Amino acid sequence: MIPFLNFKDLNVSYKKKLMAAISEVIDSGRYILGPKVVEFEKEFSKYCLVKHTIGTGNGLDALNLIIRSYKELGVFKEGDEILVPANTYIASILSISENRLKPVPVEPDLLTYNIDVEKIEQNITKKAKAILVVHLYGQVGYSESMKRIAKKYNLKIIEDCAQAHGAVYKGKKVGSLGDAAGFSFYPSKNLGGLGDGGAVTTNDQKLADMVRLLRNYGSHKKYLNEYKGINSRLDELQATVLLVKLKYLDRENVIRRKIARSYISMIKNPLLILPSASYDLAHVWHLFVVRTAKRDEFQKYLLKKGIDTLIHYPIPPHKQRAYKEWNKMIFPISEKIHDTVISLPLNPTMTAREVSKVIAACNDYGK
Ligand SMILES: *Cc1c(COP(=O)(O)O)cnc(C)c1O
């Protein structure tokens, strides 16, 4: 059986280093906002080519804290609108509604699965304050034309980088492309911890200061609370794990790219629509998503061949019960994507034999 993703396999090769790092933290007696978080924030800033990284409890909170901070700074207010791809993972949208701003879903592009830049302008109203660009499945969703639109309408660009650690656009890393970015270090992500974790990156000093305050009870001095903050800090233990794994992120992304290239060059089946990458470095292949008309049948077929797959995602946000008020809205492209996508196994621990097996099974489908 080829699993879709085995979390344990992602970490076994680093186990010795991880154990040593964790042991050091245990002995240090510093478990919350200690030196490892400071060091990780410094290293991740260097990696993303930004001035500031602020560790958070998870990826959703990272996005939440960016929007909340812009509210405290007087940039956003309740009722303002943020444009967001209609086919994103629910977390991107939750971060907007949690702050009582209005998410405005925009249809994605059927080729890239990222927000369709051509459709942004027609969705901008006087209340629009930002574009939340999601680099979905690992591919950069930002572009120069998006930046031009943002400039023209005075919109902030917030990146959701939860699936795209290390992806590059014209020499710049994701996390440095817009005004602020949220990352997740959930164990399955390209850079994953051994539990929950997240981070905000930005070059904006004021925003960085506000996120830093709000993640820690709205306080920068113990028992002195300037804002009604939250508790969402990156643990010292997760920071030390991430410091070990950050060193291997680029290497793992190279392996992901190599597998993706094999899939794209060797899967030849008219029943399957393969993904495309605009250029090599712009995709870090968090997921390898293909589309096919009879998706459920294809999934069962692969399972019989011993290949496990997942659907990212089966139900679009506007059809979820949580967003009842949107259930009657129609986003034909998003719905088409949700009805036809299926993710093949792709991760840095896959063997060449497993990759060949997936390719052969895909090529035999429908024959
Ligand atoms: C994983 C993910 C998040 C949320 O991250 P958590 O750490 O699980 O809160 C946000 N956006 C996208 C696109 C994601 O894939």
Side-chain angles (χ1 to χ4, degrees):
M1 185 75 188
I2 302 175
F4 180 76
L5 183 69
N6 183 327
F7 284 35
K8 190 175 123 190
D9 287 352
L10 291 175
N11 295 298
V12 295
S13 58
Y14 309 121
K15 189 165 171 191
K16 263 204 183 131
K17 290 190 174 86
L18 292 173
M19 293 292 276
I22 289 168
S23 174
E24 195 191 314
V25 169
I26 294 172
D27 291 343
S28 78
R30 300 284 304 274
Y31 307 132
I32 299 286
L33 297 185
K36 291 296 172 189
V37 169
V38 173
E39 190 184 340
F40 175 73
E41 289 177 342
K42 208 175 103 205
E43 290 302 316
F44 201 61
S45 293
K46 243 194 256 169
Y47 180 82
C48 294
L49 310 167
V50 292
K51 291 196 186 120
H52 311 280
T53 296
I54 306 97
T56 62
N58 56 66
L60 173 59
D61 279 353
L63 295 169
N64 260 337
L65 282 163
I66 292 169
I67 297 172
R68 173 77 196 279
S69 294
Y70 275 131
K71 275 171 76 185
E72 296 292 356
L73 292 168
V75 180
F76 298 166
K77 60 180 184 312
E78 281 189 21
D80 282 346
E81 296 178 352
I82 298 185
L83 286 79
V84 60
N87 62 321
T88 186
Y89 178 57
I90 196 84
S92 332
I93 294 180
L94 287 172
S95 70
I96 304 170
S97 46
E98 164 73 16
N99 283 288
R100 297 175 186 279
L101 273 76
K102 192 180 158 210
V104 177
V106 177
E107 285 270 54
D109 180 317
L110 199 49
L111 288 177
T112 63
Y113 309 119
N114 276 324
I115 194 166
D116 186 344
V117 179
E118 310 263 295
K119 297 205 176 104
I120 289 180
E121 222 162 344
Q122 69 205 50
N123 282 289
I124 294 175
T125 72
K126 283 204 176 92
K127 287 187 171 172
K129 286 290 164 61
I131 301 166
L132 179 46
V133 54
V134 184
H135 309 301
L136 201 68
Y137 306 151
Q139 176 157 226
V140 175
Y142 170 91
S143 63
E144 224 102 86
S145 44
M146 177 183 288
K147 191 180 175 183
R148 270 195 298 276
I149 296 169
K151 225 173 169 179
K152 182 170 163 193
Y153 294 94
N154 197 21
L155 307 177
K156 296 281 182 200
I157 293 181
I158 302 169
E159 295 173 80
D160 181 340
C161 301
Q163 302 189 356
H165 317 65
V168 173
Y169 177 82
K170 298 195 174 170
K172 285 173 128 186
K173 289 259 175 69
V174 300
S176 73
L177 299 172
D179 296 283
F183 284 85
S184 163
F185 305 121
Y186 182 83
S188 69
K189 309 287 185 178
N190 289 40
L191 177 60
L194 299 176
D196 275 317
V200 172
T201 59
T202 182
N203 286 315
D204 180 340
Q205 175 85 54
K206 274 195 191 133
L207 183 75
D209 291 345
M210 186 59 78
V211 171
R212 217 170 266 289
L213 270 176
L214 291 175
R215 76 162 172 187
N216 189 30
Y217 295 110
S219 162
H220 59 63
K221 198 168 166 212
K222 217 168 186 178
Y223 309 128
L224 196 76
N225 300 87
E226 295 173 54
Y227 295 89
K228 299 184 189 83
I230 63 170
N231 174 357
S232 184
R233 303 172 294 219
L234 182 66
D235 286 346
E236 205 58 5
L237 277 173
Q238 294 307 333
T240 205
V241 165
L242 293 168
L243 274 165
V244 169
K245 293 185 73 181
L246 178 60
K247 294 194 185 81
Y248 302 97
L249 173 59
D250 284 340
R251 199 168 83 183
E252 291 199 346
N253 281 342
V254 167
I255 300 172
R256 286 175 183 274
R257 251 177 224 129
K258 208 176 136 211
I259 298 171
R261 229 176 282 138
S262 299
Y263 281 170
I264 288 173
S265 64
M266 292 195 266
I267 297 175
K268 294 196 190 303
N269 186 332
L271 296 176
L272 305 177
I273 301 168
L274 299 183
S276 61
S278 47
Y279 83 109
D280 225 30
L281 295 178
H283 211 318
V284 290
W285 301 101
H286 175 61
L287 295 169
F288 191 92
V289 176
V290 305
R291 287 198 299 118
T292 188
K294 294 179 182 162
R295 186 258 313 280
D296 297 344
E297 178 194 292
F298 181 53
Q299 187 168 38
K300 273 190 209 127
Y301 161 85
L302 287 178
L303 198 60
K304 254 196 221 143
K305 294 247 172 184
I307 298 164
D308 199 15
T309 54
L310 287 178
I311 311 293
H312 300 91
Y313 299 91
I315 304 169
H318 71 280
K319 294 287 181 197
Q320 298 281 0
R321 271 254 292 279
Y323 287 96
K324 283 197 283 296
E325 63 277 26
W326 293 354
N327 286 176
K328 291 221 167 68
M329 292 174 89
I330 300 167
F331 294 96
I333 295 171
S334 278
E335 285 160 37
K336 185 170 182 166
I337 290 172
H338 286 82
D339 288 343
T340 55
V341 285
I342 173 165
S343 307
L344 303 181
L346 190 164
N347 65 72
T349 68
M350 279 179 90
T351 64
R353 257 191 77 199
E354 287 175 324
V355 172
S356 303
K357 208 176 143 191
V358 172
I359 293 168
C362 287
N363 286 335
D364 285 345
Y365 175 57
K367 298 235 165 81

